[in-house]
């Protein structure tokens, strides 16, 4: 890429190899191609339209080397800013431009971010079961794949399907090796409308401490155990749950409350020392500001795609570092391997990066998105290919057309809608 290279094409690739992914492709006059992930689970086409209709025309003719200026242009330059659709779009452009800069300089992106500060990145995966015995089997299956940290979720007695719990336990992917670890929760339900799940907080609060104590007794003291509440509790309920879980020695308890109200975490913090992780639905540093600067959380979970790309995740990391908050970015199977690559380049080069979520992908997803990143013995590494280290097989991607899909909705026993 010379000083005069320009962006000549901006394309959006939508593919659905088992689940929907939106991918941004930026091409330069000198033939460099950069890839960015723009997947927003259940709202995919909104991001695709934002990129195609409102961003692509602005990028053609711009200098691809000006990553920060382009970020400022798309974020500060826009009157309507923030929000998941906008920030996922900005994130996709940012990833693609870092990919181009890496390819132009022949360097993996982590080298451009200051170089490695660690040799490999600790990862956690998911284990779940309809009941506790099935959960314990699922945890064993993930330990057999080498994972050193596992998120444990189970069904709740008296309730039907519970979000984040795979009906089939570890599933047929078990034999495929850790790099093909099967998703612990399926794709967003395909169909014209979201599935409805019934939620009962009291039943969950009776069950969760028992379930996690059983998991700890089963695995012994060393395995890192995590648990995700998916924003379902009030601050009082969250504080009680945190206290009840202290003996389990969790690595983290995630998303205890809907965190629009960052201040409510003060109450939770006053009553429990359980480590807290929040942030996968946040899109900017401002949404984490109180949580970080008042040390109300231990881990910030912002995703490299949904929080404005590598450039913005690094700013969140820098603020968090001052306050001894560490990063544990979102990495479910509904962000693509392109986002996983970007998160790992940040992870290798960021001192306060603690752990990367890795749910795994179906084998066909690894074929559509060929990647230099790899998994081994509980750790991930971004690889040393120039840029993000991603090649997208566009012909294969074209064989899997988009299908409408939604995350489920939770209703309480009385029929009212529960918080996510
Ligand atoms: O699209 C939503 C999922 O990515 C999310 O619910 C998964 O909570 C999740 C997690 O921690 O991976
Ligand atoms: Mg979560």
């Amino acid at each position: 890429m010379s000083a005069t290279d320009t962006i000549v094409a901006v394309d959006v690739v939508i593919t659905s190899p088992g689940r929907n992914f939106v991918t941004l492709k930026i091409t330069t006059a000198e033939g460099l191609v950069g890839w960015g992930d723009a997947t927003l689970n259940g709202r995919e086409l909104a991001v695709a339209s934002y990129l195609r209709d409102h961003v692509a025309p602005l990028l053609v003719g711009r200098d691809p080397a000006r990553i920060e200026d382009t970020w400022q242009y798309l974020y500060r330059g826009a009157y309507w800013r923030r929000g998941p659709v906008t920030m996922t779009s900005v994130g996709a452009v940012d990833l693609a431009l870092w990919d181009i800069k890496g390819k132009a300089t022949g360097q993996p992106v982590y080298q451009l971010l200051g170089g490695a500060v660690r040799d490999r990145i600790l990862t956690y995966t998911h284990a779940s079961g309809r009941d506790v015995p099935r959960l314990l089997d699922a945890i064993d299956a993930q330990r057999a794949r080498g994972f050193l940290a596992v998120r444990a979720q189970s069904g709740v007695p008296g309730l039907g399907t519970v979000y984040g719990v795979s009906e089939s336990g570890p599933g047929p992917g078990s034999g495929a090796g850790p790099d093909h670890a099967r998703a612990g929760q399926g794709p967003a339900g395909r169909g014209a409308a979201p599935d409805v799940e019934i939620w009962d907080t009291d039943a969950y609060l009776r069950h969760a401490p028992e379930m996690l104590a059983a998991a700890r007794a089963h695995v012994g003291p060393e395995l890192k155990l995590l648990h995700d509440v998916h924003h379902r509790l009030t601050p009082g309920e969250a504080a009680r749950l945190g206290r009840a879980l202290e003996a389990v020695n969790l690595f983290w308890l995630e998303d205890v409350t809907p965190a629009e109200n960052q201040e409510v975490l003060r109450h939770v913090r006053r009553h429990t020392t359980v480590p807290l992780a929040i942030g996968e639905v946040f899109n900017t540093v401002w949404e984490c500001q109180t949580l970080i600067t008042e040390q109300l959380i231990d881990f910030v979970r912002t995703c490299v795609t949904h929080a404005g790309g590598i450039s913005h995740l690094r700013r969140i990391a820098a603020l968090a570092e001052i306050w001894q908050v560490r990063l544990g970015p979102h990495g479910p199977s509904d962000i693509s391997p392109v986002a996983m690559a970007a998160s790992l380049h940040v992870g290798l080069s960021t001192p306060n990066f603690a752990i990367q979520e890795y749910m795994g992908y179906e084998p066909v997803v690894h074929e559509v998105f060929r990647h230099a990143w790899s998994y081994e013995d509980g750790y991930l590494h971004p690889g040393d290919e120039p840029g993000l280290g991603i090649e997208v097989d566009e012909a294969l991607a074209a064989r899997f057309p988009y299908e409408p899909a939604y995350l489920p909705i939770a209703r309480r026993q009385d029929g009212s809608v529960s918080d996510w």
Side-chain angles (χ1 to χ4, degrees), residues 124 126 151 228-231 254-255 280 301 330 357:
Y124 77 90
H126 293 195
R151 190 193 87 166
D228 193 344
V229 189
H230 291 117
H231 326 266
E254 179 183 340
D255 283 341
E280 70 182 42
R301 298 255 306 129
H330 197 213
E357 180 181 21

Side-chain angles (χ1 to χ4, degrees), residues 24 26 32-36 67 93-107 109 112 310 338 345 385-391:
L24 184 71
I26 296 183
L32 294 170
V33 169
W35 296 103
I67 300 176
V93 173
D94 188 76
L95 263 53
L97 294 184
W98 277 105
D99 192 22
I100 288 172
K101 195 179 280 290
K103 286 170 178 163
T105 56
Q107 296 286 330
V109 167
L112 305 179
I310 291 171
V338 182
H345 283 281
E385 295 294 317
L388 294 176
I390 292 286
E391 289 303 327

Side-chain angles (χ1 to χ4, degrees), residues 19 40-42 124 126 151 163 185 228 230-231 252 254-255 280 301 306 330-335 357 359 407 420:
R19 64 186 321 148
L40 186 60
N41 198 11
Y124 77 90
H126 293 195
R151 190 193 87 166
Y163 184 70
Q185 67 207 20
D228 193 344
H230 291 117
H231 326 266
W252 79 38
E254 179 183 340
D255 283 341
E280 70 182 42
R301 298 255 306 129
H306 306 140
H330 197 213
S333 44
D334 54 75
I335 61 162
E357 180 181 21
M359 274 177 77
L407 284 155
W420 244 121

Side-chain angles (χ1 to χ4, degrees), residues 77 136 323:
L136 301 183
W323 298 100

